[in-house]
Amino acid sequence: MHEEIFDALVVGAGTAGLSAAVALAESGLRVRVVEARDRLGGRVRWWNLPRPGEATAELGAEFVHGPAVETRELLRAAGERPVEERGSTWTFVDGRLERDDDDFGGANHLLDGVASLEHDESVDAYLARFAHDPHKAEEAAMVRAFVEGFDAADPTDASVRGIAQEWHSGVDSTAARPSMGYAPLVALLQSRAEAAGVSFALEAAVTEIAWGDSGVEVHAGGVAERARCAIVTVPLGVLRHGDLRFEPALPQEKRQAIEGVAMGDAVRVVMLFREPFWTTIDGGAYRDASFFRTPKGPFGAFWTQYPQRDDTVVAWAGGPRTSALRAEKTGLGFAAARAFGALFGDEFLAVRSMEMSRSHDWLGDPYARGAYSYLLVGGGDARSELARPVAPLFFAGEACADDGQAGTVNGAIVTGRRAARQALDYLGAKRV
């Protein structure tokens, strides 16, 4: 038994947990963060590229979605800047790449009728309305592909109301990347936490949280930590899987909310090439390309780092496509390179140029159990219920973002700070 009794324990050291810990500690509380991994960052994970002078490549969170005020402020404080997406987009149609800078925006009007639905339904069921109109059927296919690829969701069980709320929130209106990746932001949160007196317990997977009027007791690796309250920021996949037990059990409403949100699956492969060969093909037509989309095939999209120039390309598949890729026997890197080369008419073009590749299995990761969350049919206000305090327990993480920011780093940061404010109020502490 750890003898010290903290004011607050934070379970999980992703951006939600770190943001909560900083806010609590800077208000004068004694805070300890308990993290299952041997590192900080959670689903922010990066690969240090093996070349002198090169930065990192993201294996987890990569983009800054929409206004993301809190994220952008932290990036500036970390000496970074958000690099806005502004390259060209290409779609592979009938065996060739076609310029498609209209992006997805032309099809999202199909969701305008969602608000008038009497009952929630799946994305697939809703889109079936447009099957008999050739033009709208094509747009419906775009919407379905975006739900699978962007939201990492299964259209057969994803709530069309949940998807519509997210898309209409403005979170998906723009996209950018941190100029040096998310590593400096994580380092900034860590340094602020340590400067405020936060202590960390790493490689300490929490298996049980006992809670009641007298406070909380968190059990991890045979060690118990005690505090007046706890902020739980573990990914939804961990909560759904039952890896973390609560004693007593959480209220029924909270358990139902956990079942009302699912964890999406995504396969992401970062390929490092000897040179950016795609920039010289077809007279340099793809020199300024940001995205390549493939309606068919193992991967739904590929993207470069443009307008920053380097030798990496990300291959991405989300939703149902991931099942076939997980059965791929030749290796994900080889499969990704073949699929990327096929866009230019030569499956082995990218294979010959690829130096190495990296990926991380977030679904198989016991401390994530998926990429990020999406609302299930009938989930309703599940995200708000997930975020609701059950004092002395408070909850944060992207799955708790009920304002359209679920699945984003900014959603995690905002909910972490919100949970910290709730905990401060509960403890009667003054906010800074």
Side-chain angles (χ1 to χ4, degrees), residues 376-398:
L376 291 169
V377 176
D381 296 327
R383 294 195 187 278
S384 296
E385 182 60 37
L386 276 175
R388 187 176 65 82
V390 185
L393 299 179
F394 302 86
F395 297 85
E398 55 86 9

Side-chain angles (χ1 to χ4, degrees), residues 77-381:
E80 290 201 81
R81 59 186 175 87
V83 179
E84 306 296 333
E85 285 291 335
R86 61 173 186 267
S88 58
T89 297
W90 300 78
T91 299
F92 193 67
V93 180
D94 297 328
R96 60 190 297 271
L97 286 168
E98 295 183 358
R99 184 81 176 252
D100 186 19
D101 289 342
D102 213 12
D103 202 9
F104 159 76
N108 63 8
H109 70 90
L110 291 186
L111 298 186
D112 289 346
V114 170
S116 62
L117 289 177
E118 185 176 354
H119 302 289
D120 193 14
E121 57 189 49
S122 72
V123 170
D124 260 0
Y126 179 81
L127 294 179
R129 291 170 169 76
F130 310 109
H132 302 296
D133 182 326
H135 177 65
K136 288 186 177 180
E138 183 178 340
E139 292 182 327
M142 292 175 61
V143 171
R144 184 177 291 104
F146 206 74
V147 168
E148 293 182 2
F150 187 83
D151 293 284
D154 185 341
T156 65
D157 65 13
S159 162
V160 73
R161 284 180 175 170
I163 295 295
Q165 182 208 16
E166 174 202 324
W167 290 3
H168 291 153
S169 70
V171 171
D172 304 330
S173 59
T174 60
R177 327 183 153 74
S179 56
M180 295 180 286
Y182 270 113
L185 184 148
V186 173
L188 173 67
L189 289 173
Q190 178 183 358
S191 65
R192 285 184 175 179
E194 291 175 341
V198 175
S199 63
F200 290 88
L202 300 182
E203 297 183 272
V206 175
T207 55
E208 179 179 305
I209 298 177
W211 59 285
D213 293 340
S214 61
V216 298
E217 189 172 279
V218 171
H219 297 261
V223 176
E225 306 268 15
R226 298 174 62 195
R228 298 165 64 198
C229 71
I231 296 182
V232 181
T233 73
V234 299
L236 175 78
V238 175
L239 294 176
R240 283 180 62 93
H241 197 264
D243 300 307
L244 174 56
R245 191 169 75 91
F246 292 87
E247 181 58 45
L250 293 173
Q252 182 180 0
E253 295 81 7
K254 183 74 72 176
R255 300 197 304 271
Q256 288 175 339
I258 291 171
E259 295 303 316
V261 185
M263 203 68 164
D265 188 16
V267 171
R268 171 200 189 97
V269 182
V270 181
M271 297 175 285
L272 176 63
F273 296 101
R274 294 180 180 85
E275 65 281 323
F277 67 87
W278 59 92
T279 63
T280 59
I281 294 174
D282 292 342
Y286 317 114
R287 174 178 171 78
D288 296 338
S290 286
F291 285 90
F292 298 93
R293 293 205 181 92
T294 56
K296 298 180 181 179
F299 292 91
F302 300 84
W303 61 76
T304 70
Q305 298 296 302
Y306 185 83
Q308 293 177 303
R309 296 193 181 276
D310 69 5
D311 303 326
T312 64
V313 171
V314 174
W316 175 271
R321 289 195 198 210
T322 60
S323 297
L325 282 169
R326 293 190 180 283
E328 177 60 57
K329 292 182 171 54
T330 60
L332 286 176
F334 184 71
R338 284 186 61 183
F340 187 51
L343 300 181
F344 310 104
D346 182 352
E347 281 195 355
F348 292 95
L349 175 64
V351 173
R352 292 192 295 270
S353 181
M354 188 170 69
E355 187 173 320
M356 60 182 67
S357 66
R358 290 288 186 277
S359 63
H360 182 75
D361 182 6
W362 292 104
L363 184 66
D365 185 329
Y367 307 130
R369 299 200 181 278
Y372 42 86
S373 64
Y374 67 93
L375 195 69
L376 291 169
V377 176
D381 296 327

